[in-house]
Amino acid sequence: MKRFFAQIDGWFSSNSWLWFGGLCGVVILHFGTAILRLNSFFPSIQALDFSTYYAAAWALRLHQSPYTWSKELFEFLAETQGLPRLQIQLSPPLWPLLLQPLTLFSFPTSAILWLLILLLIVLYCHLLMVRMAGYTGWKIYAVTLPFTLTFGPLFLNLTLGQNGVFLLLGVLLLGESVKRAKPSLHFDLLVVVMWAVAFSAKIYPILWMGALLLLGRWRMLVGAGLVGVLMFGGSILLAPQASAEYWLDFLPNQTRSHSTQVSIEDQSLGGFLSRVGRGDQYVFPGLSVSDRLEVSWSFPWEFSVPGIQAFSLVLLLLLGVWLTFAWIRSNGEDQGSIVYALALFSLLPFPHMDRYNHILALPAIAWLWERGGRYRHMAVVGYGLFGLSRLNHFWAAYLPSPLGPIATGFGLFGVLLLLVGIAQAIGDTNSTPRSPQWGADRPGE
């Protein structure tokens, strides 16, 4: 441990202790907000979002709709399975079909099993990211594990029982796959299956396949398409009514609703521009989930919804073109970087992008940390911005406009900063990995 702390002073090229102090500050912020949410696990696991997956799985098991809850379904689950409450289930029917085994247990038992599954996946993802950051050894794995566990978006996934951990695993495996000089059929099959699972949980992982297009991984791209067709085709056969309801009615209606009725939580580019571009009234939870706060913002300006949406699309197009050209100019020297950049970019265009989706920023933070120098500074600032985003409801409740609306975009700012960092690093010949391989055996030690 002494060797580890002795190396801290050399982690930053200039103003080392200033940067280290800033890092300690944001770490305390992440740790503090995590401690405040520990009551989500005690005396019983609440897992609000997992309860919707569980109920949707039961709905399909009982041949009912997982998108329009019936009173009879809720009463049955409350009385026989101990389900506390229900919310809207947003995932395609394939997701609750995959969770059918959990309906063999009561909700409290399933919630515990679900949390254990999430924690196991987090541990594996942590090992991958520590290696990506340039470190090896069980001591560094143990020392840095709290940084990963308490990372605001990841901890939010754990407290809600969200499925973002599966998306994190999908991104990391896809990044590992494209970096391999020699493709592996078995590993690539695992990767495309994991991508299909991620796509069944959320819609936006479809954009990750753009990495395979840019890299010319045609066999893997075809394999992903075939696996996707098989899995989603199977879900259509097993749940035809729910599939038709989701793709033809529920998804289009939800997309229109979320595009025009923006929430405080929405970290998409369009959602942020809507909050700062036009006055509106917002209702959101307080420090306690049961509390409801209300805020009304007004501005000297008032842009139309179609105008904001068009401006957002233009910005997204320009950003996408810039990232593509940055990747082309880099000659594809680090192929994993395009995966991590696309994962970040996929968080921008889709409405209703809640803060727990920013779990996908972790691979980019680890990748930039390995680059050293100012890219390490960007990783620290990005990590801090996601910590500030954990206080989103506080900013909205107590900061006046326009400061309040602007502060609700801290998570979005973190995504944009990391995207800029990756785009700059892949074209920077001086951004060679400079992380100390602490924990590995070195001559003379």
Side-chain angles (χ1 to χ4, degrees):
M1 294 300 293
K2 291 182 179 179
R3 182 172 59 185
F4 172 68
F5 287 108
Q7 291 170 342
I8 289 178
D9 193 44
W11 275 359
F12 302 103
S13 58
S14 60
N15 300 321
S16 57
W17 286 105
L18 176 63
W19 280 101
F20 178 64
L23 177 61
C24 289
V26 297
V27 166
I28 292 173
L29 180 58
H30 281 285
F31 273 65
T33 53
I35 291 173
L36 288 176
R37 291 303 184 190
L38 285 177
N39 60 347
S40 298
F41 304 112
F42 305 103
S44 61
I45 299 176
Q46 297 179 16
L48 298 180
D49 286 353
F50 171 69
S51 66
T52 67
Y53 309 151
Y54 181 81
W58 260 106
L60 291 181
R61 179 175 172 178
L62 298 174
H63 306 289
Q64 297 186 26
S65 170
Y67 304 106
T68 52
W69 305 124
S70 66
K71 181 181 178 181
E72 293 75 19
L73 175 66
F74 175 72
E75 291 177 348
F76 166 77
L77 294 177
E79 293 175 2
T80 64
Q81 306 301 320
L83 190 69
R85 60 185 64 82
L86 282 178
Q87 299 182 89
I88 297 176
Q89 203 277 137
L90 301 177
S91 300
L94 176 58
W95 180 249
L97 282 173
L98 293 175
L99 299 188
Q100 288 296 306
L102 291 175
T103 62
L104 300 176
F105 308 96
S106 66
F107 173 75
T109 302
S110 294
I112 294 174
L113 291 174
W114 183 250
L115 179 61
L116 292 176
I117 291 171
L118 296 185
L119 288 173
L120 288 174
I121 296 175
V122 168
L123 288 175
Y124 180 66
C125 290
H126 175 70
L127 295 179
L128 294 178
M129 290 186 293
V130 169
R131 293 172 186 171
M132 188 193 308
Y135 299 94
T136 57
W138 69 268
K139 290 183 180 180
I140 194 65
Y141 295 146
V143 168
T144 56
L145 180 59
F147 292 77
T148 298
L149 281 176
T150 61
F151 180 64
L154 189 148
F155 198 79
L156 191 56
N157 272 270
L158 297 179
T159 57
L160 294 175
Q162 254 288 335
N163 49 28
V165 172
F166 289 86
L167 277 69
L168 176 63
L169 178 60
V171 166
L172 290 170
L173 292 179
L174 183 58
E176 290 293 316
S177 176
V178 300
K179 287 189 294 186
R180 294 190 173 196
K182 185 178 180 181
S184 168
L185 178 60
H186 294 90
F187 185 73
D188 287 350
L189 180 60
L190 171 64
V191 171
V192 297
V193 169
M194 197 63 235
W195 167 80
V197 170
F199 185 43
S200 73
K202 310 284 185 184
I203 295 297
Y204 61 83
I206 188 67
L207 295 183
W208 304 351
M209 292 296 98
L212 301 181
L213 284 173
L214 288 173
L215 296 172
R217 299 295 183 95
W218 308 116
R219 186 180 71 174
M220 192 172 179
L221 184 62
V222 171
L226 291 175
V227 169
V229 168
L230 288 174
M231 292 181 66
F232 279 88
S235 70
I236 293 174
L237 294 175
L238 292 172
Q241 292 182 347
S243 297
E245 180 183 0
Y246 178 80
W247 296 108
L248 301 178
D249 181 44
F250 181 81
L251 180 60
N253 289 335
Q254 286 293 313
T255 302
R256 284 192 295 267
S257 174
H258 291 148
S259 298
T260 56
Q261 300 176 10
V262 176
S263 71
I264 291 291
E265 308 291 1
D266 193 347
Q267 296 294 302
S268 67
L269 181 61
F272 172 74
L273 292 177
S274 181
R275 286 196 298 275
V276 300
R278 55 186 291 110
D280 208 341
Q281 191 173 35
Y282 301 91
V283 178
F284 51 93
L287 183 61
S288 173
V289 178
S290 59
D291 296 336
R292 307 302 291 180
L293 302 178
E294 184 175 316
V295 66
S296 181
W297 288 323
S298 60
F299 309 99
W301 55 85
E302 190 77 11
F303 298 101
S304 67
V305 172
I308 292 174
Q309 291 176 344
F311 184 57
S312 174
L313 288 175
V314 170
L315 291 180
L316 287 170
L317 179 61
L318 292 176
L319 179 60
V321 171
W322 179 60
L323 290 172
T324 302
F325 276 100
W327 171 252
I328 293 174
R329 287 197 306 270
S330 72
N331 296 320
E333 293 181 0
D334 191 320
Q335 299 188 345
S337 63
I338 190 62
V339 174
Y340 312 135
L342 270 175
L344 288 173
F345 185 82
S346 68
L347 301 174
L348 301 178
F350 293 91
H352 192 63
M353 189 58 65
D354 280 323
R355 290 171 295 159
Y356 47 70
N357 293 295
H358 289 160
I359 189 175
L360 296 181
L362 280 172
I365 291 175
W367 187 87
L368 285 172
W369 183 270
E370 189 191 24
R371 304 297 100 184
R374 62 192 178 100
Y375 303 111
R376 187 164 292 177
H377 297 166
M378 287 183 172
V380 172
V381 174
Y383 187 80
L385 287 172
F386 294 114
L388 293 174
S389 183
R390 284 290 278 156
L391 304 176
N392 212 31
H393 295 170
F394 177 84
W395 309 130
Y398 299 107
L399 290 182
S401 60
L403 294 179
I406 292 174
T408 62
F410 277 128
L412 171 66
F413 303 154
V415 170
L416 294 174
L417 176 67
L418 296 179
L419 274 174
V420 170
I422 291 178
Q424 291 182 351
I426 59 179
D428 187 355
T429 57
N430 296 320
S431 67
T432 54
R434 291 184 289 175
S435 295
Q437 298 296 318
W438 185 80
D441 293 332
R442 293 187 289 180
E445 294 189 2

